Amino acid sequence: MALYVYKFGGTSVGNVERIKAVAEKVKKAHDQGNQIVVVVSAMSGETNRLVELAKDMQKHPNDREMDVLLSTGEQVTVSLLSMALHELGCDACSYTGSQVKILTDSSHTKARIRNIDDARIRTHLNEGKVVVVAGFQGADEHGNITTLGRGGSDTTAVALAAALKADECHIYTDVDGVYTTDPRVEPKARRLDKITFEEMLEMASLGSKVLQIRSVEFAGKYNVALRVLSSFKEGKGTLITYEESQVESALVSGIAFNRDEAKLTITGVPDLPGVAFKILGPIADANIEIDMIIQNIADDATTDFTFTVHRNDYQRAKTLLDKTCSELGARNVTGDDSIVKVSIVGVGMRSHAGIASTMFKALADEGINIRMISTSEIKISVVVDEKYLELAVRALHAAFKLDQEIES
């Protein structure tokens, strides 16, 4: 008897017919003698609808109340899926995150899982039931409902798989695996049979929407066998693994991009010890995540400091930076929320030279100016103007021949 955790996203449970189709798939696996835990998201479009309702009530909705509101989306889905399973003669029970006792910290809208009490789930599994769990949510030590941030249902599924020591965790989405890049941007994108945890972690952090970054972190940390599959057609999907096969021939595995970038620059800052902390400290205190950072020293003992944040945090970050500018006696603050980040990722980059020059030449040949550059052992990221996003992705996909199968 194997134990599987299945996760179905919003499009997979977007209407009654699709929920019934999910129930059929789950029942088939359960009838084969497997223990099944199903994690579901809210129905497609429901979270956005709830967000709009909140904005009708309050210009900047209270985070605690937003968690209470948004958690209702998954509650609807778990109950409907459980009903569909019962209709098929498959015994099932549904749980919200707090009922399972998924304990999180108290960071509303961006909570992190601290512990999972799996006793209740194991009891029901041993009774032969399918357990249906609301993704994206939990509760803090005070009993407050919390949510895990966008894509948090992936994290719920992988965390449950780790806690239960599941044989596999299957993430069912509207795509049939992980591709070399988004096929909607580059039609020649190719599905990967395998990708390493390390590569997938970079892809997720750099903008790939297939999996949420924390779910990949969980999977890698607890060695959860993770597979991305389609809800709508059969196939083996993409296996995320520790194995680094074919790294000598696969220079780059994929291209990720993020449209949700914004850039802020504070100029004329006195070049003194601790200035970086004075600039970034208030940003961090506001729970705003910072991505790329560049600092340039001028001849007049001042420095220009540039960093990127999520586009949703742009205005808040700019307000804080304006205040810091005044306090430091800096020259001024400028910003740009019409930029994007494009990245190449591959474990093969460790053992090959010339990757950066190939990337920069491909962009230069298309007349694309690079605004910022960031590198790590297995990735190179560049910031470019938003209008060049699709051209940059297609140019890099061609330059690294990602449309071609790698020979064994």
Side-chain angles (χ1 to χ4, degrees):
M1 180 185 295
L3 169 55
Y4 294 103
V5 175
Y6 292 168
K7 181 264 176 177
F8 292 91
T11 54
S12 304
V13 291
N15 54 45
V16 169
E17 289 71 27
R18 289 184 176 180
I19 291 174
K20 288 181 178 179
V22 167
E24 292 276 4
K25 185 186 290 286
V26 171
K27 182 179 185 298
K28 181 179 178 181
H30 187 256
D31 287 348
Q32 292 171 352
N34 300 305
Q35 293 183 321
I36 307 293
V37 176
V38 186
V39 175
V40 293
S41 301
M43 296 169 72
S44 182
E46 180 64 9
T47 299
N48 289 338
R49 186 185 74 86
L50 293 171
V51 168
E52 290 305 313
L53 285 175
K55 289 180 178 178
D56 287 342
M57 296 296 126
Q58 191 178 11
K59 186 176 181 180
H60 299 291
N62 177 273
D63 286 344
R64 181 187 182 279
E65 301 312 323
M66 280 298 291
D67 278 354
V68 174
L69 177 66
L70 296 182
S71 66
T72 64
E74 283 71 22
Q75 189 169 335
V76 170
T77 317
V78 292
S79 58
L80 291 177
L81 179 55
S82 294
M83 292 175 192
L85 287 165
H86 280 292
E87 185 67 16
L88 295 174
C90 182
D91 198 4
C93 56
S94 64
Y95 285 107
T96 64
S98 58
Q99 288 174 322
V100 172
K101 295 185 180 178
I102 297 176
L103 178 66
T104 74
D105 61 21
S106 299
S107 300
H108 287 291
T109 75
K110 296 179 181 179
R112 289 185 174 271
I113 296 174
R114 287 181 171 174
N115 185 55
I116 294 178
D117 183 350
D118 62 353
R120 178 178 278 183
I121 293 178
R122 288 191 183 279
T123 296
H124 287 306
L125 290 175
N126 292 334
E127 291 172 353
K129 296 179 180 180
V130 171
V131 179
V132 185
V133 179
F136 175 66
Q137 62 184 252
D140 67 11
E141 60 184 346
H142 306 295
N144 296 305
I145 294 172
T146 57
T147 63
L148 308 180
R150 185 168 293 276
S153 292
D154 288 348
T155 303
T156 302
V158 176
L160 281 170
L164 294 165
K165 295 181 172 55
D167 292 272
E168 289 185 12
C169 180
H170 291 179
I171 307 293
Y172 287 92
T173 71
D174 54 355
V175 295
D176 61 343
V178 179
Y179 277 70
T180 49
T181 195
D182 189 335
R184 292 169 294 187
V185 172
E186 173 50 86
K188 294 179 182 178
R190 178 174 51 84
R191 183 182 60 79
L192 300 166
D193 290 330
K194 282 185 180 181
I195 189 170
T196 68
F197 280 116
E198 199 172 3
E199 289 171 322
M200 193 67 242
L201 192 60
E202 288 282 12
M203 294 279 280
S205 69
L206 296 169
S208 174
K209 299 297 192 293
V210 177
L211 288 173
Q212 194 222 32
I213 183 170
R214 275 189 281 166
S215 68
V216 184
E217 289 174 344
F218 259 103
K221 182 177 181 179
Y222 295 101
N223 198 16
V224 174
L226 192 59
R227 189 178 291 273
V228 179
L229 304 118
S230 170
S231 298
F232 308 114
K233 66 179 182 180
E234 295 299 319
K236 61 181 182 179
T238 299
L239 177 65
I240 302 170
T241 175
Y242 275 114
E243 297 176 17
E244 294 186 8
S245 60
Q246 302 172 330
V247 295
E248 291 301 319
S249 54
L251 303 183
V252 173
S253 294
I255 299 170
F257 57 86
N258 190 351
R259 301 178 190 269
D260 301 323
E261 294 281 323
K263 178 169 70 75
L264 288 162
T265 300
I266 180 169
T267 61
V269 180
D271 185 22
L272 300 170
V275 70
F277 171 73
K278 290 179 181 178
I279 293 170
L280 299 182
I283 306 293
D285 290 342
N287 203 23
I288 297 173
E289 294 183 1
I290 296 164
D291 185 13
M292 300 169 71
I293 301 172
I294 291 178
Q295 184 175 3
N296 297 314
I297 307 300
D299 292 334
D300 61 353
T302 65
T303 181
D304 295 343
F305 200 92
T306 302
F307 59 94
T308 60
V309 296
H310 192 282
R311 200 170 290 184
N312 290 344
D313 293 323
Y314 173 68
Q315 288 299 335
R316 280 200 304 146
K318 189 174 186 306
T319 299
L320 291 168
L321 197 59
D322 285 335
K323 182 180 179 182
T324 300
C325 179
S326 176
E327 292 172 350
L328 293 178
R331 191 173 302 121
N332 68 343
V333 171
T334 59
D336 187 352
D337 60 355
S338 60
I339 59 168
V340 294
K341 180 170 64 176
V342 180
S343 310
I344 59 173
V345 178
V347 292
M349 292 168 62
R350 290 192 181 115
S351 55
H352 287 83
I355 302 296
S357 61
T358 299
M359 180 184 194
F360 300 155
K361 182 179 186 303
L363 296 175
D365 288 346
E366 297 293 343
I368 300 172
N369 187 40
I370 298 172
R371 308 275 291 276
M372 299 176 73
I373 301 170
S374 174
T375 65
S376 76
E377 192 177 22
I378 67 166
K379 66 93 176 171
I380 303 173
S381 297
V382 296
V383 166
V384 300
D385 290 339
E386 187 173 24
K387 63 183 179 181
Y388 293 124
L389 171 63
E390 296 191 4
L391 179 60
V393 170
R394 289 194 293 267
L396 293 173
H397 202 271
F400 291 101
K401 300 180 173 61
L402 293 181
D403 58 326
Q404 300 177 15
E405 293 285 346
I406 302 298
E407 296 182 2
S408 301

